[in-house]
Amino acid sequence: MLKKIILFLLIGTLIGCGSSKPVIVTTKQPVNWKYSKTKQNNKQVKKESSSNATVTSKTMTTNEVTKAYIAQYNAVAMSNMKIYGIPASIILAQGILESGAGKGDLAMTSNNHFGIKCHNDWTGDKVYKDDDSAQECFRKYNQASESYQDHAMVLTGKKRYSNLFTLPKGDYKGWAKGLKEAGYATDPKYPEKLVNYIESYNLSQFDTKVLGKAMAKEEAKVLLNDNFDADQASLYEIQKGDTFYSVSKKFNLSVDELKQKNNLTENALSIGQKLIVK
């Protein structure tokens, strides 16, 4: 009996000693602390990645864009000169000026390279844009070649331009002045701007080709970095069956690079068309 009493006392002593709880120290974290920390780390990684990124796209200079435009459209300009008698130099200069070498709003959205307004005889698609007056009506084309054709139709079909066709062939200065006088543009410096493009980029060489005259030495000095005739290695003439993909592979380019070099947005190619490939 005594042994049992001693045993009970011993057990009670041990239980009493273990009843005091240890103190647990905790460090509170804000609600969603893991999400916030992860988000912050992601931002840091993104920032570092952005700062180390290398820009690979090349922006073409105004001169390069103009050169590409001339290379793209000189053939159609010469063709229109042969058929309609409009100097190729004037056609190209007007195209460059009116369309911003193909980069202007009307050219990019409506394939209108000559700023041709609707007038009463136009039954095709239309767009509206602020010009001399607010929201004037301009013609819209499915492709740029239609704009070139319509330009010829406007000049040959309206009586006010008839005197231009009595000028000596290839007289681009007379044409530049005559276009302004006939009301093609309201800008008082319109003739000066056309002549400046023609002489800066030697566009009269295309008139000379059409007229079949031997080019004078001073005319042969092209003011561009590339001579579109002599430097045939930089141009490729489209053959039957060619596509953007096949041409780009032939010259180790991507399709986007080929289009950018030639200031093109359309996917269609025509036989005889020349593309800059270098």
Side-chain angles (χ1 to χ4, degrees):
M1 185 68 179
L2 182 61
K3 287 183 179 179
K4 288 182 178 180
I5 293 172
I6 293 172
L7 181 59
F8 282 128
L9 290 174
L10 181 60
I11 291 171
T13 302
L14 290 172
I15 292 172
C17 292
S19 63
S20 58
K21 294 182 180 179
V23 178
I24 299 173
V25 179
T26 62
T27 302
K28 276 193 174 183
Q29 298 290 353
V31 177
N32 293 332
W33 70 275
K34 287 184 178 180
Y35 170 77
S36 300
K37 187 175 181 181
T38 303
K39 188 175 182 182
Q40 187 176 16
N41 289 341
N42 287 342
K43 282 184 177 180
Q44 182 65 25
V45 170
K46 187 175 181 181
K47 184 177 180 182
E48 290 175 359
S49 175
S50 177
S51 64
N52 292 330
T54 302
V55 178
T56 57
S57 61
K58 180 185 176 183
T59 303
M60 294 177 72
T61 65
T62 301
N63 189 53
E64 289 173 332
V65 169
T66 305
K67 286 167 57 179
Y69 189 89
I70 295 167
Q72 174 65 23
Y73 294 109
N74 73 77
V76 68
M78 287 190 288
S79 175
N80 281 7
M81 182 177 180
K82 291 175 183 177
I83 298 170
Y84 303 106
I86 307 163
S89 59
I90 284 291
I91 298 171
L92 287 170
Q94 282 193 283
I96 294 167
L97 178 58
E98 297 287 352
S99 74
K103 296 296 185 182
D105 289 342
L106 280 175
M108 295 291 286
T109 62
S110 308
N111 288 309
N112 189 333
H113 284 233
F114 296 92
I116 301 176
K117 296 180 181 178
C118 295
H119 303 299
N120 295 329
D121 57 347
W122 179 247
T123 58
D125 292 336
K126 305 170 183 178
V127 293
Y128 295 87
K129 183 178 182 296
D130 291 348
D131 193 53
D132 298 324
S133 302
Q135 292 298 289
E136 291 196 71
C137 182
F138 288 86
R139 302 183 182 190
K140 181 178 181 179
Y141 306 95
N142 292 323
Q143 52 189 351
S145 59
E146 295 176 11
S147 175
Y148 271 76
Q149 177 67 19
D150 204 29
H151 171 260
M153 294 296 96
V154 168
L155 295 185
T156 57
K158 292 188 179 296
K159 188 176 180 180
R160 58 177 170 157
Y161 299 117
S162 60
N163 288 338
L164 296 173
F165 294 91
T166 65
L167 294 170
K169 296 184 183 300
D171 182 7
Y172 61 82
K173 289 184 178 180
W175 267 83
K177 182 180 178 182
L179 283 168
K180 170 64 178 64
E181 292 176 345
Y184 191 96
T186 57
D187 183 355
K189 292 187 176 181
Y190 193 76
E192 179 183 332
K193 291 177 180 178
L194 292 182
V195 171
N196 182 58
Y197 276 121
I198 291 169
E199 296 183 348
S200 294
Y201 289 93
N202 192 29
L203 302 182
S204 62
Q205 65 172 301
F206 302 113
D207 298 340
T208 303
K209 283 185 182 181
V210 174
L211 296 173
K213 296 177 181 178
M215 294 177 65
K217 289 184 179 180
E218 60 272 16
E219 289 180 322
K221 294 178 181 178
V222 182
L223 299 181
L224 304 175
N225 291 330
D226 296 319
N227 185 319
F228 296 128
D229 294 321
D231 191 13
Q232 290 297 324
S234 67
L235 294 178
Y236 175 75
E237 185 171 333
I238 298 300
Q239 309 295 319
K240 185 177 181 180
D242 279 338
T243 64
F244 273 110
Y245 180 78
S246 66
V247 176
S248 65
K249 289 301 179 186
K250 185 177 294 187
F251 294 97
N252 197 28
L253 296 168
S254 69
V255 172
D256 287 341
E257 286 173 334
L258 185 60
K259 286 186 174 182
Q260 185 182 47
K261 281 178 177 289
N262 292 276
N263 192 30
L264 294 175
T265 56
E266 301 169 1
N267 292 319
L269 293 173
S270 56
I271 297 174
Q273 180 179 352
K274 291 184 179 180
L275 298 181
I276 296 175
V277 292
K278 289 187 180 180

